[in-house]
């Protein structure tokens, strides 16, 4: 398989020609060409058109689409078309329909209504992929294979009997036998001990107020992620056999509102990491969230090249209120992803649909046609991305890492915990945002990853930390690094068993502290710290065991107890933030940490003006994205590839504007 070598910034989107008569296709191609589109994702929801009846394949129309794209110099990200089965499939095989945890069937009529474990579904999907790969596996337009689509978006977990059997097999592989399962699941509790593996079920609806075994719930999340991954692996096997030269991808959903899959594990199986990211139009800080998503996607790609596979060119159709993007937002959104390592910016979709559930979702070609602001912005963006080709393949600079764990997220949000207000993404978002405001770029890394090369490592809400995750942070600090750990981290091991001896067991020695009991706050309750800042959600009765108190509580359940601590450990320093500090409180701690660690911003900036640097063999590029309503000035010398201006010491960027400076002397 030839490696993916980006030589340009890809631009394009999902292209669904089967929704249109053929005379529109020629216009589509001409317009895509005019806009500088380089990559079209084809066939994602085409199964019913490619196999209208069981075993009868109609592939010629897709061949015509691919030939047409190729003639226009546009590459294809060709879908395996298995994202949604045709109606005949579940009519023939009703057992392939998914069942929710209350035992209800999820019916066809929308999309993705299938059980991920279903043999019938898998057999039919593999047969389809064999047809497509056999016919188009060496087609000159095909540059990427796009497996499935947003795996787990609608059906992430099915609770049917087939899945139950698969879960048992998965458990036996993981634990070696019934004793291992009983021990990991702590089934001595509530008379849950299993005497035969056949007694084990998915965590289906339990009696009112009685929680399902937490490790059973956690393992079901792991099993569900692995089961969907098996689908991808089945398709991958076919493609490696029949189309070995074309790299594979699947569009992840790297967003803090999606946690159905363990993307660290998934990323190992694709040749190109790609993600979808959609803004939340009601959130004024949605662009900070977009930065976090991009930083995590870059982490999944191990710092290398990745693609933004989908976003909306303007409005979406699925939020309660769906405004159009404001002038300039499309360009800023695109450049933000490129700044943070994307080597491609693609949208859903090329031409806005006239019918169906997504008819009010924007496309590059809007309902109103090409005499529109949106189309003019699309043309501008296409030509800008072409000019930015030299950036492709360069890497994002960062001195700070943040540990991000999917099973830590799953475990953290299980029921029967000390406080419902401890939500996993809350602290990662808060700390990332505080660093974002300072122009400090953060790499997201998996728990247990080697941390050499970073100056600061942030460990927010890593409730579940296995020994390797704890050791990686400890070794980093012992070797001279600076770590910041936030509350409800290191509490349990990989089986969700409490680490005894005082909280937080996995990090107690590193942090030089010991907590006997948690003191979460009641709804709406706040506490004041000795610097006058406030905090909410969480406090704990923390004792110093070698650490110093940097902040203490002035009131609340544990007045006088440390709220923020600092501990010299080995050659480094370990900080603990024991409460949900306000943005100001978080910032003042991070200011000290980055100053002590000697971490610098990509450029001197002000909050709301995003700065990121990419560096490659050919030089370095400073991206400046002004998310504010005022003009911004950032120190920079070189050429602004957006305006073409030569810069001598400063780049001025208008409200909402962008600059990409090819830096002089870099
Ligand atoms: C994505 C999906 C696309 C389209 C889009 C609309 O989740 O992959 O097929 O539905 O959302 O925003």
């Amino acid at each position: 398989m030839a490696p993916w070598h980006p030589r340009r910034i890809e631009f394009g989107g999902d292209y669904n020609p089967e929704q249109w008569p053929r005379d529109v296709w020629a216009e589509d191609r001409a317009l895509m060409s005019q806009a500088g589109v380089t990559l079209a994702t084809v066939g994602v929801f085409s199964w019913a058109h490619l196999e209208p009846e069981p075993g009868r394949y109609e592939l010629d129309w897709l061949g015509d689409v691919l030939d047409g794209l190729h003639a226009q110099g546009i590459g294809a990200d060709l879908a395996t078309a298995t994202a949604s089965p045709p109606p005949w499939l579940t009519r023939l095989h009703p057992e392939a329909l998914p069942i929710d945890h209350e035992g209800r069937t999820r019916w066809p009529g929308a999309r993705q209504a299938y059980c991920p474990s279903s043999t019938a579904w898998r057999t039919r999907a593999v047969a389809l992929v064999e047809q497509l790969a056999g016919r188009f596996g060496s087609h000159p337009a095909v540059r990427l294979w796009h497996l499935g689509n947003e795996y787990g978006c609608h059906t992430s977990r099915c609770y049917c009997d087939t899945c139950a059997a698969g879960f048992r097999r998965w458990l036996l592989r993981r634990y070696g036998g019934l004793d291992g399962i009983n021990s990991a699941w702590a089934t001595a509790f509530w008379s849950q001990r299993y005497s035969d593996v056949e007694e084990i079920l998915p965590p289906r609806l339990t009696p009112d107020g009685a929680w399902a075994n937490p490790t059973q719930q956690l393992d079901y999340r792991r099993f569900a992620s692995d089961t969907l991954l098996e689908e991808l692996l089945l398709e991958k096997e076919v493609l490696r056999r029949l189309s070995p030269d074309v790299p594979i991808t699947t569009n992840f959903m790297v967003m803090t509102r999606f946690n159905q899959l363990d993307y660290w594990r998934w990323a190992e199986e694709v040749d190109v990491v790609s993600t979808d990211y959609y803004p939340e139009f009601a959130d004024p800080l949605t662009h900070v969230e977009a930065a976090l998503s991009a930083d995590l996607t870059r982490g999944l790609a191990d710092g290398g090249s990745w693609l933004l596979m989908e976003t909306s060119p303007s409005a979406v159709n699925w939020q309660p209120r769906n405004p159009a993007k404001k002038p300039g937002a499309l360009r800023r959104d695109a450049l933000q992803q490129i700044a943070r390592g994307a080597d491609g910016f693609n949208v859903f979709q090329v031409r806005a649909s006239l019918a169906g559930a997504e008819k009010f979702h924007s496309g590059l070609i809007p309902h109103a046609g090409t005499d529109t602001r949106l189309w003019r912005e699309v043309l501008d963006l296409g030509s800008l991305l072409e000019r930015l080709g030299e950036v492709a393949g360069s890497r994002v600079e960062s001195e700070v890492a943040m540990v991000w764990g999917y099973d830590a997220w799953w475990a953290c949000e299980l029921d029967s915990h000390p406080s419902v207000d401890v939500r996993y993404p809350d602290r990662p978002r808060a700390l990332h945002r505080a660093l974002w405001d300072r122009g400090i770029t953060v790499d997201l890394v998996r728990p247990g990853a080697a941390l050499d090369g970073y100056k600061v490592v942030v460990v927010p809400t890593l409730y579940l930390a296995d020994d390797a995750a704890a050791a990686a942070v400890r070794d980093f600090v012992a070797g001279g690094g600076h770590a910041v750990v936030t509350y409800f981290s290191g509490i349990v091991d990989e089986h969700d068993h409490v680490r005894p001896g005082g909280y937080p067991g996995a990090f107690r020695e590193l942090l030089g502290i010991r907590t006997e009991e948690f003191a979460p706050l009641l709804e709406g309750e706040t506490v004041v710290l000795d610097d006058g800042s406030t905090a909410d959600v969480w406090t704990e009765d923390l004792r110093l065991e070698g650490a110093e108190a940097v902040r203490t509580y002035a009131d609340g359940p544990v007045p006088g107890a440390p709220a923020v601590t600092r501990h010299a450990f080995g050659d480094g320093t370990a900080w603990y933030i024991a409460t949900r500090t306000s943005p100001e409180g978080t910032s003042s701690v991070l200011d000290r940490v980055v100053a002590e660690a000697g971490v610098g911003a990509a450029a001197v900036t002000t909050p709301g003006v995003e700065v990121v640097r990419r560096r490659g063999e050919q030089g370095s590029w400073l991206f400046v994205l002004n998310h504010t309503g005022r003009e911004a000035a950032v120190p920079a010398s070189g050429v602004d590839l957006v305006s073409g201006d030569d810069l001598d010491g400063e780049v001025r960027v208008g409200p909402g504007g962008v600059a990409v400076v090819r830096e002089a002397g870099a």
Side-chain angles (χ1 to χ4, degrees):
M1 206 272 319
W4 176 258
H5 276 315
R7 283 181 299 276
R8 60 185 176 202
I9 302 292
E10 304 288 354
F11 177 45
D14 279 46
Y15 178 43
N16 298 306
E18 68 271 37
Q19 295 177 15
W20 298 89
R22 280 192 180 235
D23 54 332
V24 178
W25 297 5
E27 189 189 70
D28 290 340
R29 292 194 297 268
L31 291 175
M32 281 193 259
S33 206
Q34 192 192 351
V37 164
T38 62
L39 193 67
T41 299
V42 191
V44 172
F45 294 105
S46 302
W47 191 342
H49 276 68
L50 294 167
E51 191 182 2
E53 291 170 32
R56 185 169 69 76
Y57 296 97
E58 280 187 5
L59 309 189
D60 290 351
W61 68 268
L62 183 55
D64 293 345
V65 170
L66 294 174
D67 292 348
L69 289 171
H70 184 59
Q72 207 81 44
I74 299 169
D77 167 38
L78 180 56
T80 54
T82 54
S84 210
W88 59 254
L89 195 149
T90 44
R91 180 167 176 240
L92 265 185
H93 305 285
E95 78 286 0
L97 286 170
I99 307 290
D100 76 5
H101 88 297
E102 295 190 19
R104 297 175 302 193
T105 300
R106 295 302 181 110
W107 296 96
R111 64 178 174 185
Q112 226 181 56
Y114 64 84
C115 160
S117 305
S118 153
T119 306
W121 185 87
R122 288 181 173 199
T123 309
R124 300 273 177 184
V126 164
L128 174 66
V129 180
E130 279 177 339
Q131 290 290 323
L132 289 171
R135 170 86 182 260
F136 303 120
S138 325
H139 192 287
V142 178
R143 300 192 45 225
L144 263 180
W145 280 106
H146 182 104
L147 284 69
N149 190 66
E150 291 190 339
Y151 284 94
C153 175
H154 304 288
T155 304
S156 56
R157 273 165 284 163
C158 167
Y159 294 78
C160 73
D161 291 342
T162 312
C163 287
F167 187 38
R168 289 177 202 120
R169 287 192 298 275
W170 182 93
L171 288 166
L172 289 173
R173 280 198 302 277
R174 181 174 172 89
Y175 295 109
L178 204 51
D179 287 350
I181 301 170
N182 274 314
S183 149
W185 287 20
T187 53
F189 183 78
W190 278 358
S191 182
Q192 290 173 351
R193 190 174 179 285
Y194 295 100
S195 54
D196 186 319
V197 78
E198 291 301 314
E199 295 158 8
I200 297 177
L201 293 169
R204 292 174 176 160
L205 188 65
T206 50
D208 280 349
W211 307 281
N213 181 304
T215 318
Q216 175 195 21
Q217 294 189 57
L218 177 60
D219 274 344
Y220 208 66
R221 302 294 296 254
R222 292 173 168 141
F223 159 75
S225 174
D226 285 356
T227 301
L228 283 163
L229 183 59
E230 274 174 22
E231 286 177 16
L232 176 134
L233 293 175
L234 286 173
E235 295 190 6
K236 180 177 168 180
E237 188 280 320
V238 175
L239 296 169
R240 286 291 198 254
R241 195 157 35 83
L242 299 178
S243 180
D245 296 331
V246 179
I248 68 158
T249 191
T250 185
N251 47 342
F252 296 165
M253 298 172 70
V254 181
M255 314 177 204
T256 63
R257 55 181 187 271
F258 183 84
N259 74 351
Q260 304 301 343
L261 307 178
D262 182 348
Y263 284 135
W264 293 117
R265 173 81 198 89
W266 281 66
E268 294 166 2
E269 300 292 354
V270 295
D271 302 315
V272 182
V273 167
S274 66
T275 192
D276 299 350
Y277 177 79
Y278 284 89
E280 287 278 357
F281 286 86
D283 176 4
L285 291 176
T286 193
H287 53 283
V288 188
E289 186 75 14
L292 175 58
S293 160
D295 292 343
L296 177 51
T297 310
R298 184 175 70 253
L300 294 166
D302 206 14
S305 196
W306 59 276
L307 298 175
L308 193 278
M309 188 57 89
E310 276 185 38
T311 191
S312 61
S314 188
V316 298
N317 62 302
W318 44 265
Q319 292 172 23
R321 293 160 202 88
N322 295 299
K325 283 190 179 175
K326 300 216 166 69
L330 173 62
R331 183 171 72 164
R332 202 169 56 250
D333 288 352
L335 257 58
Q336 183 185 38
Q337 300 292 314
I338 311 292
R340 293 181 178 272
D343 282 333
F345 179 81
N346 305 286
V347 299
F348 179 87
Q349 58 181 334
V350 168
R351 187 184 277 278
S353 303
L354 294 184
E358 294 183 328
K359 59 183 168 298
F360 292 119
H361 194 292
S362 57
L364 292 178
I365 309 170
H367 290 160
T370 51
D371 184 12
T372 48
R373 170 173 66 81
L374 176 55
W375 179 249
R376 286 185 282 278
E377 291 202 23
V378 168
L379 296 183
D380 278 353
L381 178 61
S383 79
L384 175 57
L385 294 182
E386 197 178 338
R387 296 205 296 288
L388 293 184
E390 63 187 61
V391 174
S394 61
R395 292 171 79 95
V396 174
E397 280 188 351
S398 163
E399 298 175 322
V400 178
M402 179 182 284
V403 179
W404 176 277
Y406 284 97
D407 58 1
W409 185 352
W410 297 334
C412 177
E413 296 195 351
L414 286 169
D415 36 36
S416 63
H417 271 198
S419 171
V420 294
D421 297 323
V422 180
R423 307 295 297 173
Y424 176 78
D426 172 68
R427 290 299 85 189
R429 291 173 73 179
L431 276 87
H432 181 272
R433 183 187 159 197
L435 293 161
W436 182 90
D437 268 341
R438 282 156 181 69
I440 295 172
T441 309
V442 180
D443 285 348
L444 279 94
V445 298
R446 72 195 295 168
L451 299 166
D452 337 319
Y454 291 108
K455 291 181 175 171
V456 170
V457 170
V458 181
V459 187
T461 326
L462 200 71
Y463 161 72
L464 180 155
D466 64 14
D467 292 349
V473 183
R474 192 177 53 236
D475 293 350
F476 167 74
V477 177
H482 299 247
V484 182
V485 179
T486 72
Y487 61 90
F488 216 47
S489 290
I491 306 298
V492 297
D493 66 11
E494 66 271 32
H495 302 312
D496 196 38
H497 294 194
V498 169
R499 292 176 176 276
Y503 309 120
F507 299 117
R508 197 171 57 226
E509 189 197 341
L510 168 71
L511 298 170
I513 57 165
R514 181 162 173 272
T515 289
E516 291 177 25
E517 289 189 284
F518 300 135
L521 301 179
L522 300 179
E523 191 175 6
E525 196 181 358
T526 58
V527 289
V528 177
L529 273 52
D530 59 354
D531 66 345
S533 67
T534 56
D536 61 5
V537 171
W538 192 263
T539 66
E540 52 191 79
D541 193 5
L542 181 162
R543 303 295 144 104
L544 300 174
E545 293 199 344
E548 58 175 299
V550 174
R551 302 255 185 283
T552 54
Y553 299 104
D555 62 8
V558 284
V564 177
T565 63
R566 180 181 179 280
H567 184 223
F569 181 87
D571 293 334
T573 309
W575 294 73
Y576 184 56
I577 305 180
T579 183
R580 187 173 180 272
T581 38
S582 63
E584 299 70 34
T586 307
S587 291
S588 76
V589 175
L590 287 179
D591 276 341
R592 256 192 84 179
V593 175
V594 298
E596 286 184 16
V599 170
V604 178
T605 189
T606 46
V609 181
E610 183 171 348
V611 287
V612 187
R613 179 172 289 103
R614 287 183 67 160
R615 190 180 292 280
E617 283 166 15
Q618 312 301 322
S620 67
W621 296 266
L622 178 69
F623 287 72
V624 183
L625 308 156
N626 185 355
H627 299 280
T628 76
R630 301 170 307 280
E631 188 185 62
V634 169
S637 292
V639 182
D640 177 6
L641 300 175
V642 179
S643 65
D645 293 347
D646 282 323
L647 306 168
D648 190 13
E650 185 179 78
V651 60
R652 302 188 80 78
V653 183
V658 293
V660 181
V661 182
R662 183 202 294 138
E663 296 182 294

